[in-house]
Amino acid sequence: MSKILIVGNVLKDTYLRLNEHHEDFETDANGIKWINWGFDDSDHEFFSRESVFSGAVVTLEVLKRFGLDAHIYNESQSDIPSGTIKAVNFRYILCAGDQISYLVPSEKHPTKFTATSISNDYSWIFVDRSAIISRELVTNLLQAIELQKNTKLAVYAPKRINKSIEPLFERANLIFTDHPISITNTKAEICEISETGAKMAGKSVKFRGLRKTALFTHLTTYSIISATILGSKIINKSKEDQLLMAKMNIENTKLDQSLPVEKLEELAAEEKASAVNLSQMAKELVGNGKGILAADESGGSIHKKFESMNIPDDFDHRRDYRNLFFTTEGLEKYVNGVILFDETARQLSDDGRDFATYLTSKGIIPGIKVDKGLANMPGSTEKYTLGLNGLDERLEEYYDMGLRFAKWRAAFEITESTPTKNTVYKNVEILADYALKCQQAHIVPIVEPEVVFDGDFPIEHCASITGIILKELFAELKRKEIDLTATILKVNMVLAGKKYVTQSTPKEVAEWTAKTLKRYVPEELAGVVFLSGGQTPEQATENLQEITNLGPYPWPVTFSYARALQGPALEAWKGDNANYPEAQKAFLERLKANCAALKKSI
Ligand code: 13P
């Protein structure tokens, strides 16, 4: 069995939780929160208090769970926790809501190491994150392993690196770091760790919403990640698996108990399978000559539609309206998926099942609009999209409700001075953050940057603005390492603005749209779907037909209309369920025409 020596310090963390006492904090003129503990005789019994061993002990726990014979070095060579702990550093951690502060004694215990006192059968020595690396430590350690060529060395790089540490890096096989460093003189593999992910040898992994408020500080997090990577490396896992096991451990472990290796292997395998599933799901949504129905108008949009037709805007009418589309006979022959609005996803179909379950039983994938609408950019009428707050939790809930893809819309209006660069950057940044969160929650993201049709601009201008947005969007998606094979683009067709003197012909729309998309949309993307954006239903179909005629494209291309599919049915329904048959007929007509437009016309 591999024997591992951990060189570091044992810490004792005492957490004082102030969570229930937010109101006791005062904010000073600099925005810093203060609490008055009053050094008087009063007790502070309201603080909940919990103490755990930390530092090298965390590393020990993780490595032991890999079945490895790990030991913490201390001067008396006793194991922790069974032996005598010679030096313990005490640390107080104050937790108040999201805020964590550390109270560390100014006198730190140095990490001691004497070369003569270790046996020569260690396969790895790990200078842990908790080690305080002095010149003396480096000298002693290197001396201890000088003749032990088979002993490998892993080092967690400290924040401040000085010359005296460099020999350690030269000898190291593996270096962990949680801040940008440049180490030139080393052959070691370098693993970069942050609170959001880890990277090593061109491979990377992203972590899902880590808990910082509880007993997990970012420091504990780093210890668990580095130890898991080391442990899985020692048992010969691939780099991809090392990173995945670290992800699984940090997302699922409890502070006092790390996950056993068998569990980590199982979770890592599931994670790999679900990444494959996500691309498959994305492909299913855009394939088979079918489209996606957008039935996700927010409360406000529905209100306007209903009001204009004197239909009462209440819970039941909204349900009946959606139900009309979902119960249309044979819907599954024309659409792969339906995008729902939060309220609709919680409403029930006629048979008492919720709509997501009902659609799934028809072989249709239910999805959900997750953005929270538009807000003005500071001092401007340009818009950016709200909804990132609490998105992780909402996605988790939506996944549990059976929703498998999501949509997020950013809207750009073309005027003489807009969209500005600033607004484009802000929105693509948000879109990429959303896409990342979706993929982490095993939900396929549809990213929708929409250049709004309702304006006064020629088609060339629409092409250039759409192109700029797509270019920035895909640059940002790449930067955030979004899996494009599991991402769908929902986009406007390229056309002259609705108020422009000359309206674009279907041929012009197709040519400009094809050119723009081919130029800016990466080939590996799962698919491109179009919004109708206020075109008439017939116009949206004709334009789609011409776009199809100019195919094939590197990705599947299909429709994801709201208005152009639902408009005629709404007119026929009028808020009266007796009109369902006629309304459904009108809806079917649009579905059939658009599916027909997905095939090339001869
Ligand atoms: P339209 O097809 O009505 O433009 O709606 C599509 C959509 O989902 C907009 O977010």
Side-chain angles (χ1 to χ4, degrees):
M1 195 200 292
S2 293
K3 220 173 147 187
I4 299 136
L5 186 65
I6 304 158
V7 177
N9 285 346
V10 173
L11 307 179
K12 182 97 178 281
D13 283 344
T14 298
Y15 293 81
L16 298 177
R17 292 219 238 185
L18 314 174
N19 295 10
E20 303 123 54
H21 291 273
H22 278 177
E23 69 274 15
D24 296 339
F25 281 83
E26 290 167 30
T27 308
D28 72 9
N30 299 318
I32 294 173
K33 285 197 188 306
W34 295 89
I35 187 163
N36 182 4
W37 276 17
F39 287 101
D40 53 21
D41 295 343
S42 59
D43 290 337
H44 297 289
E45 75 274 2
F46 50 79
F47 298 122
S48 91
R49 172 189 168 126
E50 212 152 338
S51 291
V52 291
F53 278 112
S54 177
V57 178
V58 174
T59 306
L60 179 75
E61 159 68 16
V62 172
L63 291 174
K64 288 220 152 174
R65 287 278 170 159
F66 275 83
L68 299 167
D69 184 16
H71 304 255
I72 296 178
Y73 177 86
N74 72 24
E75 287 165 81
S76 64
Q77 267 291 267
S78 332
D79 286 356
I80 305 294
S82 54
T84 342
I85 303 166
K86 267 215 137 178
V88 177
N89 289 328
F90 289 89
R91 192 164 62 169
Y92 282 90
I93 301 178
L94 310 183
C95 318
D98 285 348
Q99 302 189 6
I100 289 186
S101 331
Y102 298 86
L103 279 181
V104 191
S106 58
E107 240 177 73
K108 285 187 187 169
H109 290 286
T111 310
K112 292 218 172 112
F113 188 92
T114 44
T116 48
S117 58
I118 64 157
S119 57
N120 61 3
D121 55 352
Y122 287 104
S123 59
W124 278 85
I125 293 183
F126 180 24
V127 183
D128 177 65
R129 203 191 50 75
S130 59
I132 295 170
I133 308 179
S134 62
R135 184 186 299 267
E136 190 192 359
L137 177 79
V138 174
T139 313
N140 287 347
L141 202 81
L142 291 175
Q143 195 188 329
I145 54 174
E146 200 175 6
L147 299 173
Q148 300 171 27
K149 297 285 177 236
N150 293 332
T151 301
K152 294 191 169 144
L153 180 66
V155 181
Y156 200 109
K159 280 252 172 323
R160 272 181 220 93
I161 296 169
N162 54 39
K163 277 250 171 280
S164 66
I165 298 172
E166 283 174 5
L168 214 50
F169 293 152
E170 271 172 49
R171 173 63 171 79
N173 303 80
L174 176 62
I175 297 173
F176 294 102
T177 165
D178 56 54
H179 54 283
I181 49 167
S182 79
I183 310 167
T184 42
N185 209 356
T186 185
K187 292 196 189 72
E189 188 161 20
I190 297 189
C191 177
E192 294 166 42
I193 296 174
S194 76
E195 283 178 77
T196 53
K199 255 192 211 165
M200 187 165 58
K203 300 210 178 303
S204 65
V205 73
K206 289 261 172 356
F207 308 136
R208 191 173 169 184
L210 295 190
R211 299 141 292 180
K212 279 200 292 171
T213 51
L215 300 187
F216 274 91
T217 63
H218 66 288
L219 301 178
T220 320
T221 302
Y222 294 163
S223 291
I224 294 172
I225 296 164
S226 55
T228 311
I229 288 173
L230 177 61
S232 49
K233 186 181 186 66
I234 293 173
I235 62 164
N236 292 322
K237 293 287 174 189
S238 67
K239 293 206 175 34
E240 187 188 3
D241 282 349
Q242 291 170 30
L243 289 167
L244 272 180
M245 285 167 91
K247 170 178 164 69
M248 296 321 356
N249 215 2
I250 197 57
E251 287 177 3
N252 297 291
T253 193
K254 297 205 178 71
L255 190 65
D256 59 342
Q257 208 174 47
S258 169
L259 296 192
V261 65
E262 299 77 22
K263 186 74 190 162
L264 289 176
E265 282 169 340
E266 182 190 316
L267 290 174
E270 275 173 22
E271 181 73 13
K272 262 196 226 170
S274 83
V276 173
N277 290 345
L278 211 59
S279 321
Q280 273 164 4
M281 178 75 67
K283 283 188 187 79
E284 266 175 55
L285 278 164
V286 290
N288 309 317
K290 304 184 204 177
I292 296 174
L293 167 65
D296 63 331
E297 297 89 343
S298 62
S301 308
I302 283 278
H303 185 76
K304 271 193 232 148
K305 277 189 187 180
F306 280 13
E307 199 175 36
S308 70
M309 297 186 63
N310 285 323
I311 300 170
D313 178 21
D314 56 35
F315 186 85
D316 288 337
H317 278 85
R318 290 194 294 268
R319 189 214 78 99
D320 290 354
Y321 177 57
R322 311 293 198 184
N323 187 55
L324 155 68
F325 298 108
F326 306 159
T327 56
T328 295
E329 184 85 24
L331 176 66
E332 66 281 4
K333 287 194 251 165
Y334 309 101
V335 300
N336 297 309
V338 172
I339 316 172
L340 303 173
F341 182 59
D342 182 270
E343 179 188 74
T344 320
R346 298 172 195 282
Q347 287 178 321
L348 303 182
S349 69
D350 295 336
D351 62 11
R353 292 181 290 177
D354 60 70
F355 280 134
T357 312
Y358 172 78
L359 289 165
T360 306
S361 75
K362 277 187 137 186
I364 296 170
I365 306 169
I368 183 96
K369 167 194 173 79
V370 298
D371 67 71
K372 295 253 183 193
L374 308 174
N376 282 347
M377 292 285 288
S380 147
T381 54
E382 286 194 283
K383 309 286 185 219
Y384 74 98
T385 310
L386 300 169
L388 287 179
N389 269 351
L391 182 58
D392 287 322
E393 291 75 23
R394 284 192 285 131
L395 289 170
E396 220 168 302
E397 189 195 4
Y398 288 145
Y399 187 90
D400 290 341
M401 287 163 70
L403 300 154
R404 292 292 177 265
F405 71 101
K407 189 195 96 171
W408 183 286
R409 174 176 179 259
F412 301 92
E413 276 182 31
I414 298 186
T415 66
E416 266 173 26
S417 56
T418 67
T420 57
K421 271 192 184 155
N422 206 6
T423 301
V424 172
Y425 291 149
K426 168 112 178 156
N427 274 299
V428 301
E429 226 175 21
I430 297 174
L431 274 165
D433 286 342
Y434 141 82
L436 179 62
K437 285 176 187 293
C438 284
Q439 292 189 340
Q440 286 172 343
H442 306 306
I443 286 181
V444 172
I446 297 186
V447 289
E448 182 184 9
E450 172 180 353
V451 172
V452 177
F453 179 31
D454 198 11
D456 182 6
F457 49 85
I459 190 166
E460 294 82 357
H461 193 46
C462 180
S464 105
I465 297 293
T466 306
I468 289 169
I469 294 167
L470 292 180
K471 185 168 163 225
E472 295 304 332
L473 173 63
F474 285 107
E476 189 63 20
L477 291 175
K478 287 219 163 130
R479 209 170 6 252
K480 299 221 161 95
E481 294 172 31
I482 309 299
D483 179 0
L484 291 185
T485 68
T487 304
I488 295 169
L489 171 72
K490 177 160 174 166
V491 71
N492 53 285
M493 294 176 184
V494 174
L495 32 61
K498 210 170 184 170
K499 299 197 183 96
Y500 190 63
V501 278
T502 331
Q503 289 296 286
S504 312
T505 65
K507 281 216 156 37
E508 286 167 339
V509 172
E511 271 160 25
W512 281 102
T513 303
K515 196 164 133 187
T516 309
L517 293 182
K518 281 184 184 165
R519 179 153 177 206
Y520 293 108
V521 178
E523 296 200 353
E524 68 265 34
L525 191 80
V528 173
V529 299
F530 292 107
L531 55 98
S532 58
Q535 303 177 56
T536 65
E538 293 73 21
Q539 202 182 1
T541 309
E542 277 171 41
N543 287 339
L544 181 65
Q545 178 68 72
E546 288 301 333
I547 291 171
T548 310
N549 289 346
L550 294 186
Y553 297 90
W555 358 260
V557 163
T558 187
F559 60 89
S560 172
Y561 301 152
R563 282 165 284 181
L565 284 175
Q566 301 175 127
L570 174 62
E571 305 264 322
W573 175 53
K574 301 186 182 75
D576 181 353
N577 292 348
N579 297 328
Y580 255 35
E582 249 167 89
Q584 291 184 333
K585 197 167 146 240
F587 178 45
L588 265 178
E589 212 171 281
R590 293 325 312 154
L591 288 169
K592 283 182 187 167
N594 283 298
C595 284
L598 294 177
K599 299 193 189 94
K600 274 193 185 192
S601 63
I602 309 146

